[in-house]
mmCIF file of all heavy atoms in Angstrom:
data_model
loop_
_atom_site.group_PDB
_atom_site.id
_atom_site.type_symbol
_atom_site.label_atom_id
_atom_site.label_comp_id
_atom_site.label_asym_id
_atom_site.label_seq_id
_atom_site.Cartn_x
_atom_site.Cartn_y
_atom_site.Cartn_z
ATOM 1 N N VAL X 1 0.840 -1.204 0.000
ATOM 2 C CA VAL X 1 0.000 0.000 0.000
ATOM 3 C C VAL X 1 0.873 1.252 0.000
ATOM 4 O O VAL X 1 0.653 2.187 -0.783
ATOM 5 C CB VAL X 1 -0.952 0.004 1.211
ATOM 6 C CG1 VAL X 1 -1.721 1.327 1.282
ATOM 7 C CG2 VAL X 1 -1.932 -1.158 1.138
ATOM 8 N N PHE X 2 1.888 1.275 0.866
ATOM 9 C CA PHE X 2 2.799 2.423 0.911
ATOM 10 C C PHE X 2 3.499 2.615 -0.436
ATOM 11 O O PHE X 2 3.694 3.747 -0.889
ATOM 12 C CB PHE X 2 3.854 2.213 1.999
ATOM 13 C CG PHE X 2 3.426 2.658 3.370
ATOM 14 C CD1 PHE X 2 3.933 2.038 4.511
ATOM 15 C CD2 PHE X 2 2.541 3.697 3.550
ATOM 16 C CE1 PHE X 2 3.567 2.446 5.778
ATOM 17 C CE2 PHE X 2 2.155 4.116 4.817
ATOM 18 C CZ PHE X 2 2.667 3.493 5.931
ATOM 19 N N ASP X 3 3.905 1.508 -1.052
ATOM 20 C CA ASP X 3 4.602 1.577 -2.336
ATOM 21 C C ASP X 3 3.704 2.229 -3.394
ATOM 22 O O ASP X 3 4.116 3.164 -4.098
ATOM 23 C CB ASP X 3 5.018 0.167 -2.767
ATOM 24 C CG ASP X 3 6.045 0.169 -3.883
ATOM 25 O OD1 ASP X 3 6.119 1.157 -4.634
ATOM 26 O OD2 ASP X 3 6.785 -0.830 -4.013
ATOM 27 N N ALA X 4 2.470 1.742 -3.492
ATOM 28 C CA ALA X 4 1.550 2.281 -4.487
ATOM 29 C C ALA X 4 1.132 3.712 -4.156
ATOM 30 O O ALA X 4 0.736 4.467 -5.050
ATOM 31 C CB ALA X 4 0.314 1.386 -4.598
ATOM 32 N N PHE X 5 1.233 4.079 -2.884
ATOM 33 C CA PHE X 5 0.886 5.438 -2.453
ATOM 34 C C PHE X 5 1.967 6.436 -2.867
ATOM 35 O O PHE X 5 1.750 7.638 -2.812
ATOM 36 C CB PHE X 5 0.692 5.462 -0.939
ATOM 37 C CG PHE X 5 0.040 6.705 -0.406
ATOM 38 C CD1 PHE X 5 -1.245 7.060 -0.812
ATOM 39 C CD2 PHE X 5 0.699 7.524 0.493
ATOM 40 C CE1 PHE X 5 -1.854 8.216 -0.315
ATOM 41 C CE2 PHE X 5 0.104 8.670 1.002
ATOM 42 C CZ PHE X 5 -1.185 9.020 0.588
ATOM 43 N N GLY X 6 3.136 5.917 -3.263
ATOM 44 C CA GLY X 6 4.188 6.787 -3.769
ATOM 45 C C GLY X 6 5.349 7.019 -2.838
ATOM 46 O O GLY X 6 6.185 7.901 -3.085
ATOM 47 N N MET X 7 5.457 6.231 -1.764
ATOM 48 C CA MET X 7 6.578 6.391 -0.846
ATOM 49 C C MET X 7 7.883 5.959 -1.516
ATOM 50 O O MET X 7 7.929 4.965 -2.237
ATOM 51 C CB MET X 7 6.348 5.574 0.430
ATOM 52 C CG MET X 7 5.178 6.062 1.264
ATOM 53 S SD MET X 7 5.449 7.776 1.791
ATOM 54 C CE MET X 7 3.945 8.110 2.693
ATOM 55 N N ASP X 8 8.953 6.710 -1.266
ATOM 56 C CA ASP X 8 10.266 6.369 -1.819
ATOM 57 C C ASP X 8 10.984 5.319 -0.978
ATOM 58 O O ASP X 8 11.714 4.486 -1.499
ATOM 59 C CB ASP X 8 11.149 7.621 -1.888
ATOM 60 C CG ASP X 8 10.545 8.708 -2.766
ATOM 61 O OD1 ASP X 8 10.187 8.391 -3.919
ATOM 62 O OD2 ASP X 8 10.423 9.847 -2.300
ATOM 63 N N LEU X 9 10.779 5.397 0.338
ATOM 64 C CA LEU X 9 11.478 4.525 1.279
ATOM 65 C C LEU X 9 10.470 3.982 2.281
ATOM 66 O O LEU X 9 9.652 4.727 2.821
ATOM 67 C CB LEU X 9 12.572 5.313 2.007
ATOM 68 C CG LEU X 9 13.371 4.591 3.096
ATOM 69 C CD1 LEU X 9 14.221 3.476 2.494
ATOM 70 C CD2 LEU X 9 14.258 5.571 3.858
ATOM 71 N N ILE X 10 10.530 2.667 2.522
ATOM 72 C CA ILE X 10 9.651 2.036 3.495
ATOM 73 C C ILE X 10 10.515 1.398 4.576
ATOM 74 O O ILE X 10 11.338 0.533 4.284
ATOM 75 C CB ILE X 10 8.750 0.970 2.837
ATOM 76 C CG1 ILE X 10 7.898 1.608 1.741
ATOM 77 C CG2 ILE X 10 7.858 0.282 3.879
ATOM 78 C CD1 ILE X 10 7.127 0.611 0.891
ATOM 79 N N LEU X 11 10.361 1.863 5.805
ATOM 80 C CA LEU X 11 11.125 1.349 6.938
ATOM 81 C C LEU X 11 10.227 0.418 7.742
ATOM 82 O O LEU X 11 9.139 0.817 8.180
ATOM 83 C CB LEU X 11 11.617 2.498 7.819
ATOM 84 C CG LEU X 11 12.486 3.552 7.126
ATOM 85 C CD1 LEU X 11 12.811 4.691 8.097
ATOM 86 C CD2 LEU X 11 13.770 2.935 6.573
ATOM 87 N N ILE X 12 10.675 -0.817 7.928
ATOM 88 C CA ILE X 12 9.874 -1.837 8.607
ATOM 89 C C ILE X 12 10.582 -2.217 9.895
ATOM 90 O O ILE X 12 11.616 -2.903 9.883
ATOM 91 C CB ILE X 12 9.679 -3.082 7.713
ATOM 92 C CG1 ILE X 12 9.054 -2.676 6.373
ATOM 93 C CG2 ILE X 12 8.835 -4.127 8.424
ATOM 94 C CD1 ILE X 12 9.051 -3.788 5.332
ATOM 95 N N GLU X 13 10.041 -1.760 11.008
ATOM 96 C CA GLU X 13 10.646 -2.039 12.309
ATOM 97 C C GLU X 13 9.973 -3.239 12.954
ATOM 98 O O GLU X 13 8.765 -3.235 13.203
ATOM 99 C CB GLU X 13 10.514 -0.823 13.228
ATOM 100 C CG GLU X 13 11.137 -1.052 14.598
ATOM 101 C CD GLU X 13 10.617 -0.096 15.650
ATOM 102 O OE1 GLU X 13 10.077 0.961 15.282
ATOM 103 O OE2 GLU X 13 10.740 -0.419 16.850
ATOM 104 N N THR X 14 10.754 -4.280 13.230
ATOM 105 C CA THR X 14 10.191 -5.488 13.824
ATOM 106 C C THR X 14 10.072 -5.334 15.337
ATOM 107 O O THR X 14 10.605 -4.401 15.937
ATOM 108 C CB THR X 14 11.075 -6.717 13.540
ATOM 109 O OG1 THR X 14 12.242 -6.674 14.378
ATOM 110 C CG2 THR X 14 11.497 -6.774 12.087
ATOM 111 N N VAL X 15 9.374 -6.288 15.954
ATOM 112 C CA VAL X 15 9.429 -6.381 17.410
ATOM 113 C C VAL X 15 10.816 -6.903 17.785
ATOM 114 O O VAL X 15 11.605 -7.270 16.929
ATOM 115 C CB VAL X 15 8.334 -7.331 17.959
ATOM 116 C CG1 VAL X 15 6.960 -6.882 17.524
ATOM 117 C CG2 VAL X 15 8.572 -8.760 17.507
ATOM 118 N N GLY X 16 11.142 -6.948 19.067
ATOM 119 C CA GLY X 16 12.449 -7.444 19.490
ATOM 120 C C GLY X 16 12.661 -8.885 19.073
ATOM 121 O O GLY X 16 11.859 -9.758 19.411
ATOM 122 N N VAL X 17 13.716 -9.146 18.324
ATOM 123 C CA VAL X 17 13.907 -10.475 17.754
ATOM 124 C C VAL X 17 14.356 -11.475 18.803
ATOM 125 O O VAL X 17 15.066 -11.155 19.744
ATOM 126 C CB VAL X 17 14.944 -10.462 16.605
ATOM 127 C CG1 VAL X 17 14.421 -9.682 15.426
ATOM 128 C CG2 VAL X 17 16.274 -9.912 17.069
ATOM 129 N N GLY X 18 13.931 -12.696 18.606
ATOM 130 C CA GLY X 18 14.372 -13.813 19.442
ATOM 131 C C GLY X 18 15.084 -14.823 18.579
ATOM 132 O O GLY X 18 15.812 -14.458 17.660
ATOM 133 N N GLN X 19 14.817 -16.101 18.788
ATOM 134 C CA GLN X 19 15.558 -17.124 18.069
ATOM 135 C C GLN X 19 14.877 -17.581 16.786
ATOM 136 O O GLN X 19 15.422 -18.398 16.057
ATOM 137 C CB GLN X 19 15.781 -18.327 18.985
ATOM 138 C CG GLN X 19 16.742 -18.027 20.122
ATOM 139 C CD GLN X 19 17.153 -19.276 20.854
ATOM 140 O OE1 GLN X 19 17.303 -20.339 20.261
ATOM 141 N NE2 GLN X 19 17.349 -19.161 22.149
ATOM 142 N N ALA X 20 13.674 -17.120 16.510
ATOM 143 C CA ALA X 20 12.997 -17.606 15.315
ATOM 144 C C ALA X 20 12.271 -16.501 14.561
ATOM 145 O O ALA X 20 11.477 -16.776 13.690
ATOM 146 C CB ALA X 20 11.996 -18.705 15.699
ATOM 147 N N GLU X 21 12.549 -15.251 14.897
ATOM 148 C CA GLU X 21 11.780 -14.162 14.327
ATOM 149 C C GLU X 21 12.459 -13.624 13.070
ATOM 150 O O GLU X 21 13.145 -12.606 13.105
ATOM 151 C CB GLU X 21 11.572 -13.079 15.375
ATOM 152 C CG GLU X 21 10.686 -13.574 16.512
ATOM 153 C CD GLU X 21 10.662 -12.645 17.705
ATOM 154 O OE1 GLU X 21 11.578 -11.817 17.817
ATOM 155 O OE2 GLU X 21 9.737 -12.765 18.509
ATOM 156 N N LEU X 22 12.254 -14.315 11.963
ATOM 157 C CA LEU X 22 12.925 -13.961 10.725
ATOM 158 C C LEU X 22 11.929 -13.602 9.622
ATOM 159 O O LEU X 22 12.256 -13.649 8.450
ATOM 160 C CB LEU X 22 13.818 -15.130 10.267
ATOM 161 C CG LEU X 22 14.975 -15.477 11.211
ATOM 162 C CD1 LEU X 22 15.700 -16.732 10.728
ATOM 163 C CD2 LEU X 22 15.955 -14.319 11.322
ATOM 164 N N ASP X 23 10.708 -13.244 10.015
ATOM 165 C CA ASP X 23 9.708 -12.868 9.021
ATOM 166 C C ASP X 23 10.146 -11.668 8.192
ATOM 167 O O ASP X 23 9.663 -11.484 7.069
ATOM 168 C CB ASP X 23 8.382 -12.518 9.709
ATOM 169 C CG ASP X 23 7.574 -13.753 10.062
ATOM 170 O OD1 ASP X 23 8.042 -14.868 9.766
ATOM 171 O OD2 ASP X 23 6.485 -13.600 10.644
ATOM 172 N N VAL X 24 11.059 -10.869 8.740
ATOM 173 C CA VAL X 24 11.502 -9.677 8.021
ATOM 174 C C VAL X 24 12.132 -10.035 6.677
ATOM 175 O O VAL X 24 12.119 -9.232 5.734
ATOM 176 C CB VAL X 24 12.486 -8.860 8.897
ATOM 177 C CG1 VAL X 24 13.807 -9.589 9.066
ATOM 178 C CG2 VAL X 24 12.682 -7.454 8.340
ATOM 179 N N LEU X 25 12.646 -11.256 6.551
ATOM 180 C CA LEU X 25 13.201 -11.700 5.275
ATOM 181 C C LEU X 25 12.154 -11.678 4.167
ATOM 182 O O LEU X 25 12.476 -11.528 2.996
ATOM 183 C CB LEU X 25 13.761 -13.122 5.407
ATOM 184 C CG LEU X 25 15.076 -13.291 6.152
ATOM 185 C CD1 LEU X 25 15.354 -14.767 6.395
ATOM 186 C CD2 LEU X 25 16.216 -12.663 5.362
ATOM 187 N N ARG X 26 10.891 -11.854 4.561
ATOM 188 C CA ARG X 26 9.809 -11.948 3.588
ATOM 189 C C ARG X 26 9.277 -10.585 3.186
ATOM 190 O O ARG X 26 8.414 -10.495 2.313
ATOM 191 C CB ARG X 26 8.684 -12.800 4.180
ATOM 192 C CG ARG X 26 7.670 -13.326 3.189
ATOM 193 C CD ARG X 26 6.910 -14.516 3.749
ATOM 194 N NE ARG X 26 6.270 -14.222 5.009
ATOM 195 C CZ ARG X 26 5.044 -13.714 5.134
ATOM 196 N NH1 ARG X 26 4.344 -13.420 4.061
ATOM 197 N NH2 ARG X 26 4.509 -13.507 6.324
ATOM 198 N N CYS X 27 9.794 -9.529 3.814
ATOM 199 C CA CYS X 27 9.224 -8.196 3.579
ATOM 200 C C CYS X 27 10.223 -7.161 3.090
ATOM 201 O O CYS X 27 9.810 -6.152 2.527
ATOM 202 C CB CYS X 27 8.601 -7.672 4.879
ATOM 203 S SG CYS X 27 7.283 -8.696 5.530
ATOM 204 N N ALA X 28 11.509 -7.374 3.338
ATOM 205 C CA ALA X 28 12.490 -6.305 3.128
ATOM 206 C C ALA X 28 13.452 -6.612 1.988
ATOM 207 O O ALA X 28 13.786 -7.766 1.726
ATOM 208 C CB ALA X 28 13.270 -6.062 4.415
ATOM 209 N N ASP X 29 13.890 -5.538 1.312
ATOM 210 C CA ASP X 29 14.941 -5.664 0.305
ATOM 211 C C ASP X 29 16.306 -5.787 0.962
ATOM 212 O O ASP X 29 17.195 -6.458 0.452
ATOM 213 C CB ASP X 29 14.945 -4.434 -0.610
ATOM 214 C CG ASP X 29 13.650 -4.287 -1.386
ATOM 215 O OD1 ASP X 29 13.151 -5.299 -1.888
ATOM 216 O OD2 ASP X 29 13.139 -3.150 -1.478
ATOM 217 N N THR X 30 16.483 -5.099 2.071
ATOM 218 C CA THR X 30 17.754 -5.126 2.792
ATOM 219 C C THR X 30 17.462 -5.046 4.283
ATOM 220 O O THR X 30 16.458 -4.462 4.690
ATOM 221 C CB THR X 30 18.659 -3.955 2.334
ATOM 222 O OG1 THR X 30 19.951 -4.099 2.912
ATOM 223 C CG2 THR X 30 18.082 -2.612 2.697
ATOM 224 N N ILE X 31 18.325 -5.661 5.086
ATOM 225 C CA ILE X 31 18.058 -5.787 6.518
ATOM 226 C C ILE X 31 19.169 -5.146 7.318
ATOM 227 O O ILE X 31 20.357 -5.414 7.108
ATOM 228 C CB ILE X 31 17.911 -7.270 6.918
ATOM 229 C CG1 ILE X 31 16.700 -7.880 6.196
ATOM 230 C CG2 ILE X 31 17.745 -7.413 8.429
ATOM 231 C CD1 ILE X 31 16.556 -9.363 6.388
ATOM 232 N N MET X 32 18.763 -4.286 8.265
ATOM 233 C CA MET X 32 19.685 -3.628 9.172
ATOM 234 C C MET X 32 19.504 -4.246 10.557
ATOM 235 O O MET X 32 18.410 -4.221 11.123
ATOM 236 C CB MET X 32 19.379 -2.128 9.208
ATOM 237 C CG MET X 32 20.247 -1.324 10.148
ATOM 238 S SD MET X 32 19.718 0.429 10.184
ATOM 239 C CE MET X 32 19.947 0.907 8.470
#
């Protein structure tokens, strides 16, 4: 939705990661 709305940059902040919280791989181009 943000992409189609015209945003240049989308920042996706996860909850505090534990040992299995890797869903961010499915959403991000690059991971910080």
